[in-house]
Amino acid sequence: MDFKRNPDTHFKGIDKLGKKEATEEIRALREGINYHDHLYYVKDSPKISDAVYDKLFQRLQDLEEAFPDLKTGDSPTVRVGAEPVSQLKKIKHKVPLLSLQASLDEKNIESFLKTACKKANSQSVKYVLEPKFDGLSVEVIYEKGRFKYGTTRGNGEVGEDISHNLKTIHALPLSLQHRDDAPATLAVRGEVFMPRDGFMALNKRRVERDEEPFANPRNAAAGLMRQYKSRQVAGKPLSLFFYEILALDGEQPPNHQEVLDQLSRWGLKTSPLNESAFSLKQIENYHRKLAEHRDHLDYEIDGIVIKVDDHSLREALGTRDRNPRWAIAWKFEPRKEVTQVEDIAVQVGRTGILTPVALLQPVDVGGVTVSRATLHNEGEVQRKDIRVGDRVRIIRAGDVIPEVEERVKQRGRKRGKIFKMPKRCPVCNSKVVREGAYHLCTAGLSCAAQLSGHIQHYAARDAMDIDHLGEKAADQLVRREMVHNLADLYALDTNDLKSLDGFAERSATQLYVAIQGAKKPRLDRFLFALGIPRVGRKVAKQLAGEFRSLEKLADASEGEIAKISGIGSEVAAATANFFADDNNREVLERMRKSGVRVQSMPRRGKQPLKGKTFVFSGGLDKMTRDEAKERVEALGARTTSSISGETDYLVVGEDPGSKLDEAEEKGVKRLDKKEFLKLLGNS
């Protein structure tokens, strides 16, 4: 039974099949469908019609329904979506997923090449050139040639399990080709992306359904990959390219070109634009060629990646803390276009910062229709002298966020009025104050424009850590006027939450329990959660450590706050103004009446590590790096991210980076995990 070359779609009745016959047909169907998936999604050269493919797929679904014990986790039918997961689990990567040093400056590329040649003691080094994809970086694990799981990059050391969504992407093989030669365990790195035509079609549907369109293909791909329900992802226009073997049982190929060849042999899609080079001139030609053709590709790229081919030379070059020394990204100049400013609106952000936004005649900027662009602040508008009616050049900053780069002069045309920021908030009519370059709405927790963002920030992992309270839920709570301030969150019941789109009995109960469970926060987390202007996590810790209770901080004067070491006058003013506002005090009192009890910070004990500076490298078994930093900071120490002459200790965990070498060069004492825990115990 062969469904590869000339598939026969005249099938025997399922009721006439025995289990042995069904097992053989299911095996052949899976093999045939995987073969045609590879031709269509990876090789771009289909051999059968869509109608024939659909018949094969439907037959497989029917057989697996009739013989459910024969369905397996790597069957092509899993691509239609599975049961939703309750959360995205955290998984540690096989090896750290490093980020790339990126540059727009050709001089930095020359310097990179010189370093590689010097280390190789050669005038010429072979490089592999690849497009720099603008997508979502993922790690994919195969065991015995079968897909095991896949994760996001996360923080480089730990990612989120998105296996259920990756399985829906047809370009991802659930079983490797030539599986008999595959290592027992294989970890590969790739980039999930959304093709441009699929992105435009998806956004059109979202606009038709009165939903917020995705800003760009990268955001669309990342948003879909982090969905709990894979049925919402199945069928969406997603694909991926693979470009690195991270780890495997056995020997790595000796160079990167052979890695790419091996990935292709296993059926893992690699970019057809990859090339080799031996000189700066060849690299310049490749960079120019891709820059000229990027708008004709069906996916977004924002530069090229230059990689040393020889793995032994890579090992000699080593890595920095966050990126390898054997690879660099040479970015393209951002796309620029010219259009007209129809109006200048003022947007109120989560923290109350007012931002002028140019409303534009829609313009295509690198395949993306842009109808608005940020002007940052009043000073920026005046410096660039932007007025309503002006012609302006739009740039996608970082190749993503549209902003007005400059005004295009028009001779003989009368210009509009000079722009000025409003004195009252355009949303709640509260007073607007200026702090440095920015203008702020003083309403704080009671400004409707800030509320959805306040809720999302309040619920964030580093703040109150309220699961299931994301952007969609927050927007609905505000839009339906179910929540007018943060205190209203604690008055919601499961029936209220069940009325939200996308919520059922179980998810509503989970969110209710999560909200009610967030009633005893530690002071520093609560201060950060409130979204006080200029009070980030570090400042929140400083304030909490100094005042220890919410009541003492709320009653403190601006002068008392400013006395704290490291707290500037702007932070002190923003904090004092926040707690002096009657509306904010009313919200905090209502939260107290709802049962919110902010936990005072514990008294500082002895500080035996005062004056010591710690740096961490690698993972620790018994605690996260942030927890380890908190432990030593509580004992009086200071933590930094880089080795310097002031560093006293380098704590070395699993898979340490280049800091280990730097510590040895500078004579910094190193502590392994056991020694570090002993130091904490003794302190």
Side-chain angles (χ1 to χ4, degrees):
M1 198 177 298
D2 184 0
F3 293 106
K4 288 185 177 180
R5 280 145 191 86
N6 294 299
D8 183 0
T9 55
H10 296 88
F11 300 109
K12 189 175 180 180
I14 289 178
D15 56 338
K16 297 177 182 177
L17 291 178
K19 190 166 184 178
K20 184 177 180 182
E21 205 173 355
T23 300
E24 177 55 28
E25 188 175 335
I26 285 174
R27 182 202 61 75
L29 280 165
R30 287 176 183 161
E31 191 176 289
I33 290 170
N34 283 333
Y35 173 76
H36 292 296
D37 275 348
H38 180 72
L39 290 178
Y40 187 92
Y41 293 103
V42 178
K43 293 296 186 183
D44 231 2
S45 58
K47 299 295 184 190
I48 59 174
S49 69
D50 289 349
V52 171
Y53 179 90
D54 291 343
K55 286 180 181 178
L56 298 179
F57 198 90
Q58 187 61 53
R59 175 67 170 182
L60 179 58
Q61 283 187 305
D62 293 343
L63 283 171
E64 289 181 342
E65 190 174 325
F67 298 89
D69 56 325
L70 297 180
K71 187 166 183 175
T72 60
D74 62 349
S75 171
T77 58
V78 303
R79 299 193 191 278
V80 300
E83 290 301 307
V85 299
S86 59
Q87 62 178 349
L88 300 180
K89 296 184 298 183
K90 296 291 184 66
I91 299 180
K92 187 172 187 213
H93 297 309
K94 295 289 184 185
V95 297
L97 270 61
L98 303 174
S99 58
L100 284 175
Q101 179 188 356
S103 179
L104 279 166
D105 191 343
E106 186 173 335
K107 289 181 181 176
N108 291 332
I109 307 304
E110 288 184 57
S111 176
F112 167 79
L113 301 182
K114 285 178 182 176
T115 300
C117 288
K118 183 178 180 181
K119 183 63 74 171
N121 196 23
S122 170
Q123 295 294 315
S124 178
V125 167
K126 182 181 177 183
Y127 305 94
V128 175
L129 311 180
E130 302 172 0
K132 184 178 179 297
F133 306 111
D134 192 17
L136 178 73
S137 182
V138 295
E139 177 189 46
V140 177
I141 307 298
Y142 288 90
E143 287 190 357
K144 297 180 180 176
R146 297 181 187 275
F147 174 79
K148 180 70 173 176
Y149 66 84
T151 64
T152 62
R153 179 179 179 272
N155 64 6
E157 295 181 356
V158 175
E160 291 179 308
D161 186 352
I162 53 169
S163 306
H164 58 303
N165 292 327
L166 283 170
K167 284 180 181 179
T168 68
I169 301 176
H170 285 266
L172 174 84
L174 299 175
S175 294
L176 297 177
Q177 294 187 359
H178 306 288
R179 209 170 66 212
D180 293 343
D181 294 342
T185 301
L186 172 69
V188 290
R189 186 169 180 179
E191 195 99 356
V192 174
F193 64 91
M194 182 173 286
R196 282 184 185 163
D197 54 356
F199 168 72
M200 298 305 285
L202 179 64
N203 256 359
K204 183 182 178 184
R205 290 196 297 271
R206 290 180 72 86
V207 171
E208 288 171 349
R209 295 196 301 263
D210 196 28
E211 295 177 359
E212 182 72 19
F214 289 111
N216 50 68
R218 184 189 185 285
N219 285 11
L224 287 169
M225 281 292 98
R226 298 192 75 257
Q227 293 287 321
Y228 288 169
K229 299 178 181 179
S230 61
R231 293 189 191 280
Q232 295 177 347
V233 185
K236 295 296 190 297
L238 292 166
S239 191
L240 80 169
F241 284 119
F242 290 93
Y243 51 82
E244 203 76 56
I245 292 177
L246 295 168
L248 77 169
D249 290 340
E251 289 293 319
Q252 275 256 29
N255 58 62
H256 188 59
Q257 186 57 60
E258 289 187 41
V259 164
L260 296 174
D261 294 342
Q262 182 62 69
L263 291 175
S264 295
R265 185 172 179 276
W266 283 325
L268 297 165
K269 187 176 182 180
T270 60
S271 172
L273 300 175
N274 297 339
E275 289 185 12
S276 297
F278 294 86
S279 68
L280 176 61
K281 186 174 181 58
Q282 290 175 325
I283 293 170
E284 287 172 336
N285 290 338
Y286 181 81
H287 184 268
R288 183 175 60 255
K289 181 176 69 175
L290 261 62
E292 290 171 354
H293 288 87
R294 63 190 295 206
D295 291 337
H296 304 294
L297 298 175
D298 192 33
Y299 46 86
E300 286 282 352
I301 63 173
D302 57 2
I304 69 169
V305 179
I306 307 162
K307 297 179 178 177
V308 168
D309 182 51
D310 185 84
H311 283 184
S312 60
L313 179 53
R314 285 188 180 190
E315 194 171 327
L317 286 164
T319 61
R320 301 178 189 86
D321 183 32
R322 293 179 178 273
N323 41 58
R325 288 191 171 94
W326 44 262
I328 191 170
W330 188 358
K331 301 268 283 190
F332 296 141
E333 288 291 337
R335 300 181 176 97
K336 303 174 183 179
E337 292 294 345
V338 174
T339 187
Q340 182 168 307
V341 178
E342 296 289 305
D343 201 354
I344 298 178
V346 176
Q347 183 182 65
V348 184
R350 175 187 63 77
T351 60
I353 292 178
L354 274 60
T355 304
V357 177
L359 304 181
L360 310 166
Q361 281 186 353
V363 60
D364 188 280
V365 182
V368 177
T369 300
V370 173
S371 57
R372 59 182 179 177
T374 181
L375 291 164
H376 297 292
N377 54 56
E378 185 181 53
E380 185 79 355
V381 182
Q382 292 176 354
R383 184 180 68 79
K384 293 178 178 176
D385 192 17
I386 307 298
R387 308 182 194 180
V388 173
D390 283 348
R391 297 283 291 174
V392 293
R393 182 168 283 106
I394 304 301
I395 181 174
R396 284 171 66 194
D399 235 8
V400 176
I401 304 165
E403 67 175 53
V404 175
E405 183 185 40
E406 63 181 355
R407 175 172 68 89
V408 178
K409 293 182 180 179
Q410 298 169 277
R411 289 182 181 178
R413 185 184 180 282
K414 187 178 179 180
R415 301 184 64 208
K417 294 180 180 178
I418 295 173
F419 172 80
K420 291 185 178 179
M421 291 291 278
K423 297 186 183 301
R424 313 291 298 187
C425 174
V427 175
C428 68
N429 203 39
S430 295
K431 183 181 176 183
V432 170
V433 297
R434 181 163 187 164
E435 288 189 10
Y438 299 99
H439 289 72
L440 296 170
C441 167
T442 56
L445 300 180
S446 60
C447 177
Q450 302 174 54
L451 187 52
S452 176
H454 267 311
I455 293 171
Q456 293 170 54
H457 178 74
Y458 186 76
R461 196 166 297 165
D462 293 331
M464 299 293 277
D465 196 16
I466 302 175
D467 279 341
H468 313 293
L469 186 49
E471 180 181 352
K472 289 183 180 178
D475 285 345
Q476 289 186 73
L477 290 172
V478 174
R479 191 171 64 247
R480 298 185 185 191
E481 298 188 345
M482 297 166 68
V483 171
H484 297 90
N485 55 57
L486 294 178
D488 288 339
L489 288 172
Y490 295 97
L492 297 169
D493 59 27
T494 51
N495 288 327
D496 294 324
L497 299 173
K498 265 198 305 185
S499 70
L500 300 178
D501 295 338
F503 279 77
E505 181 79 42
R506 183 183 175 191
S507 52
T509 300
Q510 287 175 330
L511 177 51
Y512 173 78
V513 169
I515 292 172
Q516 295 303 312
K519 284 187 171 180
K520 291 185 177 180
R522 202 173 65 195
L523 176 57
D524 58 334
R525 292 176 73 95
F526 185 71
L527 290 176
F528 175 61
L530 289 177
I532 302 169
R534 304 187 184 281
V535 177
R537 283 173 289 182
K538 185 175 180 180
V539 171
K541 276 186 179 181
Q542 287 178 284
L543 293 172
E546 185 67 28
F547 289 96
R548 295 192 54 250
S549 75
L550 181 65
E551 293 74 21
K552 285 184 179 178
L553 176 58
D555 291 337
S557 67
E558 180 180 335
E560 289 173 317
I561 298 171
K563 287 179 183 177
I564 302 173
S565 175
I567 299 292
S569 58
E570 290 182 354
V571 173
T575 306
N577 288 339
F578 179 90
F579 287 109
D581 185 89
D582 290 338
N583 290 323
N584 291 341
R585 281 188 172 268
E586 183 182 341
V587 172
L588 291 170
E589 177 59 18
R590 285 193 54 219
M591 293 171 82
R592 189 191 67 78
K593 288 180 178 178
S594 297
V596 176
R597 297 289 181 267
V598 180
Q599 304 300 296
S600 297
M601 298 296 281
R603 288 188 179 277
R604 285 181 182 165
K606 294 180 180 178
Q607 298 205 308
L609 299 181
K610 189 171 183 179
K612 301 295 184 184
T613 300
F614 283 74
V615 174
F616 293 83
S617 183
L620 301 170
D621 291 335
K622 299 185 181 293
M623 65 185 79
T624 66
R625 192 178 293 188
D626 284 342
E627 288 169 342
K629 287 180 178 179
E630 283 189 10
R631 293 283 296 274
V632 296
E633 285 170 357
L635 295 168
R638 189 170 72 98
T639 61
T640 62
S641 59
S642 58
I643 301 284
S644 73
E646 297 180 356
T647 306
D648 295 289
Y649 296 106
L650 172 69
V651 179
V652 181
E654 292 179 20
D655 302 319
S658 59
K659 290 176 183 173
L660 200 58
D661 296 331
E662 293 176 43
E664 188 171 350
E665 288 174 12
K666 294 182 178 175
V668 174
K669 183 170 183 179
R670 288 166 291 172
L671 300 176
D672 61 23
K673 292 178 286 186
K674 187 175 179 181
E675 290 169 329
F676 175 62
L677 292 174
K678 184 178 179 182
L679 177 67
L680 289 180
N682 292 339
S683 301

